[in-house]
Amino acid sequence: MLKLAVFVVFAFLDGATYAQLEQITLTESSTNYPGYSQSFLTPGCRFTPHGVQDVQLAINHLILTNTSFAIASGGHSSNTGASNIDAGVTVDLSRLDEVTITDEGNAVWLGPGASWSDVYAKLEQEGLAVSGGRVGHVGVGGYVLGGGFWWFANELGWTCDQVLEYEIITPARQIVKASATENEDLFWALKGSLGAFGVVTRIKMPTVRAQNVFGGALTYRQDNVVDVFAALQALITKAREDLHAQAYVSFGWLELHKRHVTSAYLVNTAGDHLSAAFAKLTSIPHVASSLRNMTVGESAREITDSNPLGFRRTKFTLTARSTVEAMHIVHAAYLRISASMRFGPDDMLGVTIQPLTLPHLQKGRNIFPLTNEKSPLLLLSAEFRWSDKTYDQMYEKAARALHDAWVAELQVEDLFHPWHYPNYAASWQQPCEEPSIIRGAREALESVRRKYDPEDHWRQLVPGIWHV
Ligand SMILES: Cc1cc2nc3c(=O)[nH]c(=O)nc-3n(C[C@H](O)[C@H](O)[C@H](O)COP(=O)(O)OP(=O)(O)OC[C@H]3O[C@@H](n4cnc5c(N)ncnc54)[C@H](O)[C@@H]3O)c2cc1C
């Protein structure tokens, strides 16, 4: 069936080229699509190339045959159609999963199709870690190209700010290197634009030697939420005092248990002790704690367990000024909307508040309009998870209602910020448009696009992504 579909796409090719394409394994994908909206799309064929030459060959022929396609690494995008496609071709990079330690252990080459759990497992054998995702099954490719929020953000900035070099196949079908000294314009444009400039086939990152961290989750009773928000804000305000201390707060409705849950996940990246910066969060009475010494990989495994695959999901993001009042606005709208709904038996709504501290925001050179911020921000995300597809519309509508309530109520108090984090954005949000990119960056990004995609192939043939 798959072979037939491929043959239709490439039928006109001469014998030699078709024989070459047959060498590329065509299989069902091992990519996990955690969001329902991606997994219900059915591509006419799915490529799982083994290496950069295979990808180059495929992109070349997709362009020559005017075939629409999507690029998938880990398949975790919340943007429907970004990494899977109906009727066209999905280029599934899951076999480009190298983890190659280099530069005497100071750096590592990562394949975009590797998952963070594979990356941590390999690096831990050498006593190393890397600027990666906090959930193991997320893919390297999309996570890095969309920014990347990790445990070392307060100290080192976004993951994309850490990248040393990209290898990319441009829409002009050239294999190009982009780094601080080579194709610098492309190097900058790749930081936050989620695949708008070609297919990234390798990413070089510095390693982190201090791989032991002290951290874990604290679970609170719902009536402690006021203290939890105050403690989180205190941590954010003092972010410069301990660059190793990082935390986020989540709350959610679990229909299965018919209750709200509130938790904080704390990590001290300096390892082996509980940072004094966490004193307020740990002094609030809690019903459970998993605080301990662990590796970054163990932390990712713990958070992975609370993010099982297989549910239908919808997710969106917003940004707010960091104040306790903003947290209460977000929480109050969540309570109101969850109380007004009839959830299915296993369903849930989860909200996460993640600090974007000043040390984090003021680092790096990427396309986000955040480096000049004078005050810290809150990265907000909300996700509905459910099983029964007859609820799809209800949850999509509820997500919009929650979004609209947050926007309106934060705006009234002048606490709304217009940035959308690309890695959490829904398909109906616009993270690659102003004001979500640096003011005035549109022209610079367009000139990078014209240089590397002079015939505008990407906008014509890759319909599911956000273009610049
Ligand atoms: C359970 C869960 C946990 C998460 N945890 C975190 C977290 O801790 N921190 C954080 O910052 N984000 C997190 N995210 C968000 C995640 O980083 C983004 O969804 C990310 O884009 C997923 O990358 P992927 O490779 O898995 O997804 P994909 O869907 O494969 O890719 C996402 C986008 O990038 C493009 N793309 C992917 N690879 C390439 C490539 N090699 N070349 C060109 N374009 C490419 C795709 O076409 C698509 O548009 C999480 C998401 C989920 C679902």
Side-chain angles (χ1 to χ4, degrees):
M1 178 75 173
L2 280 171
K3 278 234 163 134
L4 181 65
V6 174
F7 186 72
V8 172
V9 172
F10 297 110
F12 77 99
L13 297 172
D14 61 53
T17 317
Y18 186 68
Q20 261 180 301
L21 278 168
E22 283 213 294
Q23 301 301 312
I24 301 171
T25 311
L26 303 170
T27 58
E28 288 301 333
S29 170
S30 55
T31 294
N32 296 308
Y33 291 105
Y36 83 93
S37 50
Q38 293 262 90
S39 49
F40 74 54
L41 300 173
T42 315
C45 111
R46 181 181 294 278
F47 272 109
T48 54
H50 286 273
V52 60
Q53 311 297 343
D54 292 350
V55 183
Q56 190 185 32
L57 186 68
I59 297 301
N60 195 32
H61 289 298
L62 290 167
I63 288 175
L64 284 176
T65 53
N66 209 25
T67 305
S68 297
F69 60 96
I71 305 295
S73 282
H76 280 58
S77 177
S78 34
N79 176 12
T80 311
S83 47
N84 207 7
I85 190 166
D86 250 339
V89 173
T90 295
V91 180
D92 174 345
L93 303 176
S94 54
R95 286 173 198 248
L96 270 64
D97 59 353
E98 72 168 308
V99 182
T100 311
I101 298 168
T102 181
D103 298 353
E104 295 169 351
N106 291 315
V108 60
W109 279 106
L110 300 177
S115 70
W116 289 109
S117 50
D118 295 343
V119 173
Y120 294 137
K122 174 95 186 266
L123 291 180
E124 273 175 16
Q125 292 167 14
E126 308 299 325
L128 299 170
V130 71
S131 167
R134 291 163 298 183
V135 175
H137 45 67
V138 171
V140 166
Y143 168 90
V144 176
L145 292 169
F149 195 161
W150 62 312
W151 286 125
F152 292 77
N154 192 39
E155 185 188 350
L156 300 170
W158 298 101
T159 294
C160 68
D161 294 333
Q162 290 276 298
V163 172
L164 300 169
E165 186 176 323
Y166 299 96
E167 176 188 84
I168 175 169
I169 299 173
T170 66
R173 282 93 93 200
Q174 308 291 324
I175 301 176
V176 161
K177 289 179 183 168
S179 71
T181 53
E182 214 172 339
N183 298 310
E184 301 93 303
D185 51 356
L186 183 58
F187 186 56
W188 165 72
L190 286 170
K191 296 180 177 199
S193 55
L194 273 177
F197 297 95
V199 187
V200 169
T201 45
R202 289 181 99 197
I203 301 170
K204 188 178 183 184
M205 308 277 312
T207 52
V208 180
R209 284 191 186 273
Q211 61 141 351
N212 276 313
V213 298
F214 189 91
L218 292 174
T219 309
Y220 303 101
R221 287 209 327 265
Q222 172 67 8
D223 49 9
N224 286 123
V225 80
V226 172
D227 295 334
V228 173
F229 290 163
L232 183 66
Q233 181 61 25
L235 179 74
I236 297 169
T237 310
K238 295 188 171 175
R240 279 193 204 289
E241 290 177 21
D242 185 349
L243 293 175
H244 303 289
Q246 184 108 16
Y248 64 77
V249 165
S250 306
F251 44 86
W253 172 255
L254 301 181
E255 181 66 18
L256 190 62
H257 303 290
K258 296 232 177 307
R259 64 182 170 89
H260 295 280
V261 286
T262 303
S263 66
Y265 201 99
L266 328 177
V267 166
N268 172 19
T269 58
D272 89 4
H273 63 283
L274 185 68
S275 163
F278 294 138
K280 283 202 161 89
L281 279 165
T282 50
S283 67
I284 301 165
H286 40 272
V287 291
S289 164
S290 68
L291 287 175
R292 65 198 186 282
N293 237 313
M294 59 183 163
T295 63
V296 174
E298 280 162 358
S299 161
R301 280 194 284 284
E302 180 176 33
I303 303 178
T304 302
D305 290 344
S306 62
N307 280 281
L309 294 168
F311 284 93
R312 307 170 85 77
R313 295 165 192 251
T314 187
K315 180 174 180 173
F316 71 87
T317 183
L318 284 174
T319 309
R321 301 262 161 229
S322 183
T323 66
V324 170
E325 193 188 357
M327 297 180 203
H328 282 294
I329 288 172
V330 165
H331 189 249
Y334 146 84
L335 285 178
R336 227 174 36 241
I337 292 209
S338 54
S340 70
M341 295 181 60
R342 291 186 66 177
F343 287 83
D346 305 327
D347 303 351
M348 63 157 285
L349 163 60
V351 172
T352 304
I353 300 182
Q354 302 187 65
L356 295 170
T357 63
L358 281 179
H360 171 176
L361 295 178
Q362 291 168 354
K363 284 220 165 56
R365 194 172 163 264
N366 48 55
I367 70 167
F368 302 150
L370 304 173
T371 38
N372 292 328
E373 288 298 327
K374 299 280 180 289
S375 58
L377 301 172
L378 301 174
L379 175 58
L380 310 173
S381 57
E383 180 175 282
F384 286 92
R385 277 187 225 164
W386 67 100
S387 311
D388 181 345
K389 76 180 171 111
T390 60
Y391 287 14
D392 288 358
Q393 276 193 359
M394 178 187 84
Y395 286 117
E396 290 293 352
K397 253 176 88 179
R400 292 286 192 128
L402 184 57
H403 166 273
D404 294 351
W406 282 357
V407 172
E409 290 160 34
L410 289 167
Q411 275 176 340
V412 166
E413 301 303 329
D414 201 18
L415 293 169
F416 177 76
H417 188 285
W419 184 61
H420 294 135
Y421 179 39
N423 269 341
Y424 293 167
S427 34
W428 38 272
Q429 299 188 295
Q430 290 301 333
C432 291
E433 300 280 334
E434 277 186 36
S436 208
I437 56 173
I438 297 177
R439 206 186 171 92
R442 163 143 300 283
E443 225 169 82
L445 287 169
E446 276 184 5
S447 111
V448 176
R449 182 175 57 72
R450 280 194 298 273
K451 180 170 165 191
Y452 295 93
D453 187 7
E455 293 174 61
D456 212 10
H457 293 308
W458 233 239
R459 286 206 292 197
Q460 289 165 28
L461 296 178
V462 191
I465 63 168
W466 291 296
H467 293 279
V468 296

